[in-house]
Amino acid sequence: MLIQTATHGTPIRPPVAPPLGALPQLRHDPVSDAFQAAGVPIRFERDAEIYGEGEPVEHFYQVVSGAARTYKVLSDGRRQIGAFHLPGDVFGLEAGSTHAFSAEAIVGATIRMASRSTLETMAARDVALARDNWSRTAEKLQQAEGHMLLLGRKTAEERVASFLLEMSERVHNVSMVELPMSRQDIADYLGLTIETVSRTFTQLESKATIELPSSRRIALRNRSALQRLNA
Amino acid sequence: MLIQTATHGTPIRPPVAPPLGALPQLRHDPVSDAFQAAGVPIRFERDAEIYGEGEPVEHFYQVVSGAARTYKVLSDGRRQIGAFHLPGDVFGLEAGSTHAFSAEAIVGATIRMASRSTLETMAARDVALARDNWSRTAEKLQQAEGHMLLLGRKTAEERVASFLLEMSERVHNVSMVELPMSRQDIADYLGLTIETVSRTFTQLESKATIELPSSRRIALRNRSALQRLNA
DNA sequence: CGGGATATTGATTGATTTCAATGTGAGTGG
DNA sequence: CCACTCACATTGAAATCAATCAATATCCCG
């Protein structure tokens, strides 16, 4: 079931200038500390599966460099990306026994993997770590809730605006955003088609809200226009 | 900001036969136990606000009888219901300091409220309780993730089918489902309009997949047809 | 037995999808 | 160094699903 494309046991230093989230900004908190201690960095190639839906939860993950996506697919192939994971982000932190999502590298990525049982043993002793696990999961839940509002109630233009602001915020609000993901990934994250995403970008560009020097680089020219769309 | 319609300090016994989820089925686990010990049952009238988005998290909640909804609204009033809470369900269990959602009673409801600080103090001492807080939040996250797939990628018919199966499962898979919520609530949960929800019900009825003895009572006649739509 | 809220049904519109080219850019090999 | 190619992205035209606008219909509740 799992197509293992990862190069195991090869702790590789993060590349000098990864596309999005150039600064790993590893938070100094119990979970990050635990990852420093118990986590092993593994290299995943572009599109490599990190884990699959339904598989037992054996590890927790933290992006060191690169980017990952977690998603669900319907039987006929329709895909919904639940979240993008950028450097510093922890994912796969599930309390249940099996993964509810699949995870893949979006680009070549280095991901720190910590064994679930180790982290759980540590959490059973360290109250702060246990609390932090909860806190991180609760944070993901809030993100998911915000994303439900987007998927259920926002127009295409509003979705794209929200996406751009989110990406910009996640790389310290720089106005030139370098996207690691394809239009298909964006579409599947926003619940749209690639054509609609593309058209919306063009439309925002014609209103001088953004600029598209290349398909993966987007300059936010009128942030308040985007914020207005963010409702 | 908070329209306090709740009748505080009135521990009321759960009604004999609440509409949906007639059996409170309070789980025997650390959180439920903590609610038994530290929680106070409060009566909320139909549409009464339980807490509002942005308010500080001061309590955690468990539905004793009745039902509640948690939702977000856009500035122009568009609403997305993130979840319905039925007897036994815990909600408002947020690790952050403010509520990301608003919560209201859907029908008259008795809700057990436990003070956040009390539960957190208990969790700091009791590893099992801390683990259970995490576990419950993780479960909510999985539900939210499933709901994202629905909102982002499913057709109206599939959404309604998923909703009916979900409601049925939550009341022990009985085929006659008694809905506590209005069409507007259902629409806002599924990211549709009331008209589309209504038309889809009618359409499923004409295919003999369901039966609608009244607008709030739905009989699932062909569960496998619904499951097929659930993809 | 009203009367107001809630739900259903109908007609039409419209945003997004689908189908279909066309354009662009990065990597490859001649 | 430059054609060539393949994947990815953009653009256009048509179709479609759900939303909107607009009547009824039904159900509570007083």
Side-chain angles (χ1 to χ4, degrees), chain B residues 3-225:
Chain B
I3 303 153
Q4 190 48 275
T5 326
T7 316
H8 277 106
T10 314
I12 286 175
R13 215 121 303 284
V16 178
L20 186 56
L23 314 173
Q25 58 144 188
L26 300 176
R27 290 200 266 170
H28 276 301
D29 55 28
V31 171
S32 270
D33 291 351
F35 265 101
Q36 302 304 322
V40 180
I42 305 283
R43 179 81 192 169
F44 288 89
E45 297 311 318
R46 180 171 187 274
D47 295 332
E49 177 172 279
I50 300 169
Y51 56 78
E53 191 175 335
E55 289 178 7
V57 179
E58 281 161 356
H59 299 91
F60 299 140
Y61 306 83
Q62 184 176 38
V63 180
V64 175
S65 71
R69 57 182 170 247
T70 43
Y71 63 92
K72 269 175 181 285
V73 283
L74 257 25
S75 49
D76 65 353
R78 280 173 286 173
R79 181 180 71 159
Q80 178 63 46
I81 292 179
F84 292 122
H85 308 283
L86 303 181
D89 293 345
V90 169
F91 66 98
L93 192 60
E94 311 201 31
S97 58
T98 59
H99 285 294
F101 263 40
S102 298
E104 289 173 353
I106 292 174
V107 293
T110 302
I111 312 251
R112 209 183 284 277
M113 293 172 64
S115 127
R116 174 205 172 112
S117 59
T118 304
L119 211 58
E120 291 229 39
T121 305
M122 288 167 76
R125 287 199 214 95
D126 180 352
V127 176
L129 180 57
R131 158 84 212 187
D132 211 54
N133 276 342
W134 176 36
S135 177
R136 271 177 190 273
T137 302
E139 204 176 289
K140 299 271 179 196
L141 180 56
Q142 292 210 356
Q143 284 168 14
E145 286 165 342
H147 206 55
M148 284 195 270
L149 178 62
L150 179 147
L151 292 171
R153 289 293 176 223
K154 290 189 180 177
T155 65
E157 194 180 32
E158 290 167 341
R159 292 178 200 213
V160 170
S162 302
F163 169 74
L164 291 174
L165 287 172
E166 181 195 341
M167 286 302 139
S168 168
E169 278 160 23
R170 289 174 70 178
V171 286
H172 317 290
N173 289 303
V174 294
S175 41
M176 181 62 80
V177 180
E178 188 91 16
L179 302 172
M181 71 290 282
S182 69
R183 291 290 187 271
Q184 187 63 63
D185 285 334
I186 299 171
D188 288 350
Y189 180 60
L190 299 178
L192 299 170
T193 59
I194 47 175
E195 292 95 329
T196 299
V197 170
S198 186
R199 274 188 249 274
T200 306
F201 278 146
T202 306
Q203 180 187 325
L204 288 172
E205 189 175 34
S206 73
K207 289 196 271 185
T209 306
I210 62 171
E211 232 169 286
L212 294 157
S214 81
S215 74
R216 300 284 181 116
R217 314 191 86 226
I218 301 188
L220 311 193
R221 287 284 166 247
N222 187 346
R223 198 173 282 261
S224 55

Side-chain angles (χ1 to χ4, degrees), chain A residues 116-134:
Chain A
R116 175 203 172 112
S117 59
T118 304
L119 211 57
E120 291 229 36
T121 305
M122 287 167 77
R125 285 198 217 95
D126 180 352
V127 176
L129 180 58
R131 157 84 212 189
D132 212 55
N133 276 342
W134 176 36

